[in-house]
Amino acid sequence: MNATTVKQHKSSLLLIFSRLFVGFLFVFSGLIKANDPIGFSYKLQEYFEVFHVAFLNNYAVAFAIVLCSLEIVLGILLLFGLYSKKVALGLLLLIVFFTFLTFYSAFFNVVTSCGCFGDAIKLTPWQSFSKDLILLFFILIIFLNRKKIQPLFSNEISQALTLSAAIVLSIGIGVYTYSFLPFIDFLPYKEGNNLPALMHVPKGAPLDEYEITYTLQNKTTQETRSVTDKVYLQQELWKDENWEVIGEPTSRLIKEGYQAPIKDLSITDAQGVDYTKEIIENPYYNLIFVAYNLDQTNPKALNKVNDLAKRASEEYNVRAVLLTASTAQDVSELDHQTKLYAETFFADAVPLKSMVRANPGIILLKDGVVVKKWHYRTLPTFETLAKRYFEHLE
């Protein structure tokens, strides 16, 4: 095997590896985000705010589903070697766009997590940018060698059918998970989780480590110097009468400690009295209705869960709670239109959106554990709930 043949062989292997690496990563990334398009849409809204195009917020879910589908389709076509020239160009344009976004986020610290892999794998902005640079390298190899990519099958009808199936499958997944709930819940409020346990830092868990910097000034020469607390202690500078600390010391986080998975949930009444512990740690069945924005809540669904709250509280003394980020005035107007049977409490929209990807969504809690979650479209009948959960309470 001569040198030219060896070089061609290595080039061929690199192209094959690039196709497999990029193809599978794009399919994986697209599927992870398509599993939770609402969560991805929240991330897109952050970018919309940064670039002052907030008027696109109402279309964020549609953009999310399309972007997820595009990633999946491009990945599948690349793996099958179909439409290589168009796919290579599409991949290059997409990765250049993503690389710009992740660099902008990292450099200006405007979006703290890119959402590349949804909530399944969280990357810092610089990690996301590094990942995109690696992808850019392999996509450039694909683009430069796009004419060498041979399709898995040359029949045009088979190619068209593969493309159509990939589009239908990818869009179908996004539409389904948007209309119901994610197939896999990666958030801390998933079924089976103990919420009180996730709201506290375990004993002995590592804490945040900070570096404190002091500014010292020489009393004689007026020279100033900055030293860290470690140097300050090691050199026992406080004993040196020639130097004095001026100004306020500054601190910098150098190592992040354990972070409680749930750290932003605070449930209050209209007067601001905290009810978080009472509601979350209720030892009995607790029906939580989450409607973070009452203006955007499905009215028919709200009536349905309101009737459920009435029957559950009257027939089985099950506590029913409505959690919302809307104002007390909005709640009052709703109560005037529809007699609310659930107790109403308030929380920030961010944790409410994480609780359940629906507006309204329903959570069944017992002794702090998430027993079951439902999208309003999949909420079972009261009779089914009673038979499965409530009847043994009598």
Side-chain angles (χ1 to χ4, degrees):
M1 187 178 292
N2 58 41
T4 303
T5 304
V6 171
K7 186 177 180 180
Q8 290 175 345
H9 181 66
K10 289 182 178 179
S11 176
S12 178
L13 288 177
L14 181 58
L15 178 58
I16 292 172
F17 175 81
S18 300
R19 284 177 56 196
L20 292 174
F21 177 72
V22 174
F24 280 117
L25 193 62
F26 262 66
V27 171
F28 175 74
S29 174
L31 286 174
I32 285 292
K33 293 195 286 288
N35 174 69
D36 183 13
I38 294 180
F40 185 39
S41 74
Y42 296 150
K43 188 59 59 180
L44 290 179
Q45 288 175 0
E46 290 185 46
Y47 283 108
F48 294 159
E49 295 291 340
V50 168
F51 292 103
H52 308 291
V53 287
F55 64 90
L56 295 176
N57 283 346
N58 292 334
Y59 310 99
V61 173
F63 278 119
I65 293 175
V66 169
L67 278 175
C68 297
S69 302
L70 184 59
E71 283 191 68
I72 297 170
V73 170
L74 287 175
I76 291 175
L77 294 180
L78 179 64
L79 291 172
F80 282 89
L82 307 180
Y83 309 104
S84 57
K85 294 180 181 180
K86 294 179 180 178
V87 168
L89 179 60
L91 288 170
L92 184 60
L93 293 175
L94 204 58
I95 197 61
V96 168
F97 176 67
F98 286 159
T99 304
F100 164 74
L101 284 184
T102 52
F103 172 77
Y104 191 93
S105 299
F107 188 80
F108 293 102
N109 195 31
V110 289
V111 179
T112 56
S113 174
C114 73
C116 305
F117 300 110
D119 290 290
I121 305 174
K122 293 189 176 182
L123 302 177
T124 66
W126 285 117
Q127 288 173 336
S128 301
F129 176 63
S130 301
K131 180 263 300 177
D132 285 343
L133 284 180
I134 294 171
L135 274 173
L136 178 60
F137 169 77
F138 287 109
I139 290 174
L140 279 173
I141 292 174
I142 294 169
F143 182 77
L144 295 174
N145 296 276
R146 59 193 181 279
K147 294 180 180 179
K148 298 179 182 179
I149 299 175
Q150 298 299 316
L152 194 61
F153 36 81
S154 57
N155 185 283
E156 292 185 3
I157 295 178
S158 298
Q159 293 182 2
L161 288 175
T162 302
L163 173 60
S164 300
I167 293 173
V168 171
L169 176 66
S170 58
I171 292 180
I173 292 173
V175 172
Y176 180 87
T177 51
Y178 164 71
S179 302
F180 300 100
L181 288 179
F183 293 115
I184 304 174
D185 192 347
F186 293 104
L187 294 166
Y189 299 92
K190 68 180 180 180
E191 293 177 10
N193 274 9
N194 186 299
L195 302 188
L198 296 176
M199 295 175 70
H200 301 289
V201 176
K203 187 177 181 180
L207 302 176
D208 290 344
E209 294 182 18
Y210 290 88
E211 180 183 77
I212 300 175
T213 301
Y214 297 97
T215 301
L216 304 180
Q217 185 178 60
N218 189 286
K219 296 179 181 178
T220 303
T221 65
Q222 303 302 306
E223 175 192 354
T224 60
R225 58 185 289 207
S226 297
V227 297
T228 64
D229 54 340
K230 186 177 181 180
V231 173
Y232 188 78
L233 294 174
Q234 285 179 344
Q235 298 183 4
E236 298 182 339
L237 294 176
W238 72 88
K239 295 182 179 180
D240 191 338
E241 296 181 357
N242 293 317
W243 295 87
E244 63 178 350
V245 177
I246 60 173
E248 293 295 327
T250 60
S251 63
R252 178 175 66 90
L253 179 66
I254 58 175
K255 186 177 181 181
E256 191 174 80
Y258 176 87
Q259 300 293 316
I262 301 175
K263 55 185 178 181
D264 55 356
L265 179 61
S266 176
I267 301 172
T268 67
D269 64 7
Q271 286 70 46
V273 179
D274 192 284
Y275 281 84
T276 309
K277 184 179 179 68
E278 178 181 321
I279 293 172
I280 296 300
E281 299 183 8
N282 183 358
Y284 306 105
Y285 279 120
N286 208 9
L287 273 172
I288 308 292
F289 305 124
V290 181
Y292 68 89
N293 188 329
L294 293 176
D295 289 336
Q296 299 176 7
T297 302
N298 185 293
K300 292 183 179 178
L302 201 56
N303 287 331
K304 184 178 178 181
V305 298
N306 193 42
D307 291 338
L308 180 62
K310 179 177 184 292
R311 295 190 63 181
S313 59
E314 290 180 351
E315 298 183 30
Y316 293 97
N317 199 31
V318 172
R319 188 176 191 181
V321 170
L322 171 66
L323 294 183
T324 183
S326 296
T327 65
Q329 181 179 351
D330 291 333
V331 173
S332 179
E333 292 176 0
L334 177 65
D335 189 36
H336 179 73
Q337 298 170 4
T338 304
K339 174 64 177 177
L340 291 175
Y341 292 96
E343 301 174 71
T344 303
F345 294 94
F346 302 87
D348 187 77
V350 173
L352 294 186
K353 290 177 179 180
S354 298
M355 281 186 175
V356 57
R357 298 301 202 202
N359 187 32
I362 300 89
I363 300 176
L364 182 63
L365 279 180
K366 187 177 188 295
D367 199 21
V369 175
V370 179
V371 178
K372 192 69 178 175
K373 293 168 66 170
W374 295 277
H375 192 286
Y376 66 83
R377 293 189 178 96
T378 60
L379 182 63
T381 63
F382 172 75
E383 289 72 21
T384 301
L385 281 175
K387 184 176 181 181
R388 186 173 300 173
Y389 302 106
F390 304 151
E391 286 184 352
H392 71 278
L393 297 176
E394 293 184 313

